[in-house]
Amino acid sequence: MPGNQEQRHIYYDRDLGIEAYQLSGIVQKFPNHFHEFYVIGFIEGGKRHLWCKGQEYDLSAGDLVLFNARDNHYCAPVGKELLDYRALNINCDVMSAAAKGITGKDYVPHFTQNVIYQSEIAPSVADVYDAILADAPKLQKEEAFFHLLEQVLQEYAAPNKNISDSEPDGQVKMLCTYMEEHLGENISLDDLLSMTSFGKSYLLRSFTKQVGVSPYRYLQTIRIDKAKKLLEQGVEPIDVACMTGFSDQSHFTNFFKGFIGVTPKQYQRIFTETR
């Protein structure tokens, strides 16, 4: 496929409060990162090698991927295969509200599998995406969305309180909080060391093991998440770059596209323009 056929589309649906996402003809690698939202996606074409929470997967057309908020993951193409991928990004409050509507209980879901090979649920993701793209009536979109979630929650989710996650220890949590509160600053390793009893090597190893990403990657990920929120509010990308600790707009744009798949301006348009 010629390079000029690469396509990247992202839409925000105000009725459902979710993002619909499509990448087509993509060879880009995505670095180790996490999201502050759930992701339900599927491979339409091509092959990918995925790393998620210490596990490795070979993905191909028809495979479903499920990411909880903060599930660290990264992926790379297999050979010269071009990726065709569609996904729904679902904020945690939207997921919890929908789960309560489906189960009748206060329910914070936790996906128990990250990959389901050749899943029969994958077409339901496409149904929601297509309804959003077509700006279908609200009832049609809601039915498609709840039908998808009902299948996923029934087969591949459990209440979050029943999941024995190993939380980071107190010092690592403190470092995470510090970076979240000072993400616009030029944080150094010495800044982090001064808050702990760790040595440099131990801090890097321990943080990465407990959080799933290195301190630097954690900082970049939360910067991108903050940048998304500012872009959604209409803040100019050049100002967002400064507010989130990037050295200049070019640096910000490269990182943002590397994590999200689209440029900051392209992402902002889904909130400022009507389809």
Side-chain angles (χ1 to χ4, degrees):
M1 181 182 292
N4 62 6
Q5 292 190 23
E6 177 184 286
Q7 296 183 45
R8 302 166 186 260
H9 301 291
I10 185 168
Y11 306 97
Y12 178 72
D13 188 83
R14 298 184 186 280
D15 291 328
L16 300 178
I18 67 174
E19 294 175 1
Y21 198 94
Q22 183 181 35
L23 301 175
S24 180
I26 303 297
V27 295
Q28 174 182 332
K29 296 179 181 179
F30 288 91
N32 193 11
H33 66 291
F34 56 83
H35 306 291
E36 298 288 359
F37 47 79
Y38 294 87
V39 177
I40 302 177
F42 75 101
I43 308 297
E44 285 192 288
K47 296 180 180 180
R48 280 263 147 169
H49 193 70
L50 170 72
W51 293 261
C52 183
K53 298 191 302 181
Q55 301 295 317
E56 296 188 37
Y57 307 90
D58 286 314
L59 305 179
S60 58
D63 294 341
L64 187 75
V65 293
L66 304 173
F67 298 133
N68 298 289
R70 298 224 163 192
D71 279 353
N72 67 290
H73 57 281
Y74 58 106
C75 68
V78 174
K80 296 183 179 180
E81 293 275 347
L82 301 179
L83 173 67
D84 293 333
Y85 173 72
R86 279 198 269 186
L88 304 174
N89 299 339
I90 307 167
N91 285 338
C92 294
D93 55 348
V94 173
M95 177 65 86
S96 295
K100 183 175 182 178
I102 291 169
T103 65
K105 302 176 181 178
D106 286 324
Y107 179 48
V108 180
H110 183 96
F111 296 143
T112 55
Q113 292 181 233
N114 291 117
V115 172
I116 298 91
Y117 294 111
Q118 300 302 298
S119 171
E120 296 179 356
I121 298 175
S124 295
V125 182
D127 290 342
V128 180
Y129 179 94
D130 291 339
I132 291 173
L133 184 60
D135 198 17
K138 183 176 180 179
L139 180 59
Q140 180 180 342
K141 290 185 289 189
E142 289 175 329
E143 285 187 356
F145 182 51
F146 275 80
H147 176 64
L148 167 66
L149 288 188
E150 189 171 34
Q151 296 176 83
V152 172
L153 295 179
Q154 182 178 12
E155 297 291 335
Y156 305 111
N160 207 19
K161 63 183 180 181
N162 291 341
I163 303 299
S164 58
D165 288 328
S166 55
E167 295 247 334
D169 65 32
Q171 292 192 79
V172 170
K173 280 185 178 180
M174 181 174 57
L175 297 179
C176 291
T177 300
Y178 177 82
M179 286 189 279
E180 290 161 12
E181 294 177 349
H182 297 82
L183 59 84
E185 301 174 14
N186 186 20
I187 298 172
S188 70
L189 182 56
D190 284 338
D191 292 332
L192 301 181
L193 282 169
S194 68
M195 303 164 55
T196 72
S197 59
F198 300 158
K200 288 184 178 180
S201 180
Y202 183 80
L203 187 153
L204 293 173
R205 289 199 314 270
S206 182
F207 189 101
T208 302
K209 180 178 180 180
Q210 294 185 51
V211 179
V213 295
S214 70
Y216 174 70
R217 187 62 70 193
Y218 184 87
L219 179 61
Q220 295 304 97
T221 300
I222 61 175
R223 281 174 169 171
I224 293 296
D225 184 66
K226 177 65 173 179
K228 288 178 65 180
K229 292 179 172 64
L230 293 170
L231 292 168
E232 292 166 16
Q233 296 165 14
V235 180
E236 287 296 321
I238 190 170
D239 296 322
V240 174
C242 180
M243 296 166 69
T244 52
F246 290 93
S247 57
D248 54 47
Q249 188 173 1
S250 176
H251 186 219
F252 169 52
T253 297
N254 289 336
F255 261 94
F256 194 94
K257 189 173 181 179
F259 276 76
I260 306 301
V262 295
T263 67
K265 202 67 178 177
Q266 288 172 321
Y267 181 80
Q268 188 172 62
R269 287 194 191 110
I270 73 173
F271 297 92
T272 58
E273 295 181 359
T274 302
R275 290 196 303 279

